[in-house]
Amino acid sequence: MDPRHLSIDERLTGRCVYCGAVPDSRDHCPSKVLLDEPFPANLPIVEACAECNNSFSLDEQYVACLIECVICGSVNPNDVSRQNIKRILADTPRLAAGLSATQRLDDSGSIAWDVDRDRVRRVVLKLARGHIAYEFSLPKIEEPEAVSFVPLILLSDEQRSEFESPGNSPLELWPEIDSRAFKHCAENMPSPESAEWTAVQPGRYRYSVSQSDGDSVRLVLSEYLACHVAWH
C-alpha cells in the first residue's frame, strides 16, 4: 500500500492544534510576521480556532519586532533593515515606545533589553505545537516539560553543537501512519527525526522536529534566538 494515499490522521481532524477546540480558521506556521516578503511558497498551514489564531497576533508582532530591534540596537524604524518590521514600528508607535522603554545600559555600557519572557514563551510554544502537529500529525495540547529560548551567541560551543544536532540518537518511536514524517520515511527522504533542519526561509526561520527522545521541537528565529520545546 502506498503510504501517501492513506487517510488523514483523524486526531487532527476538527481540532485546533493549539487548544483542541473545534477549528474555524487556518494558521500559517510560522506566521508571516516572522518572515520576509516575498514569502516562501507552500508555507505549512494548520487548523486553528479563531480565538487562538487572533490571540497570538500581538505577541508574535512583539517577538518579531523585539528580535529585529535587538539585532539592530534600535527601535527607530529608519535603523531597521527588515521592511515589514520597519512598517510595523512606524505604524504602531505604542509598540515602538514599549520596546524603547525596555532598553537599558548594562555594566559594560552596552545596550541590554528587558524581555517580556511570558510573551516570548507563548509564541515559542505556539510555533512548536504547530510544527509538531504539521509534521507528525501529533497534537500536543498539554503543557511541555521544557520551554527554553536564548540568543545563539550566548551558547557555549558545546551547547551550540548539541542544539544544532537534535535527534542524533536512534529513532525510538515510529512516526504515525500518514504523518509527514511517515511519508518522508516511506519515500526514503530525510525525515524530521534526523539532525537535519527545515529552512522555511534561509537566515530568517528554521526548525527541527524530533521523536528520538520524547517529542521535541527546535527553532531558530533570524539566526538569533534559539528555542527548544520538549514533551517527554
Side-chain angles (χ1 to χ4, degrees), residues 66-74 81 113 204 221-224:
L66 171 67
I67 291 175
E68 182 64 13
C69 289
V70 170
I71 291 173
C72 296
S74 171
S81 58
W113 303 75
R204 188 62 59 215
L221 282 62
S222 294
E223 288 305 315
Y224 175 80

Side-chain angles (χ1 to χ4, degrees), residues 135-136 166-176 179-198 207-212 216:
E135 295 291 348
F136 287 132
N168 277 339
S169 58
L171 184 62
E172 296 175 0
L173 299 176
W174 290 10
E176 291 292 326
S179 68
R180 283 170 50 83
F182 181 87
K183 294 175 183 178
H184 278 309
C185 293
E187 297 167 1
N188 295 317
M189 295 173 61
S191 72
E193 298 89 359
S194 72
E196 296 185 7
W197 290 74
T198 297
Y207 71 92
S208 176
V209 183
S210 172
Q211 285 189 312
S212 62
S216 174

Side-chain angles (χ1 to χ4, degrees), residues 88-98:
I88 292 172
L89 292 173
D91 295 342
T92 318
R94 183 175 180 179
L95 173 60

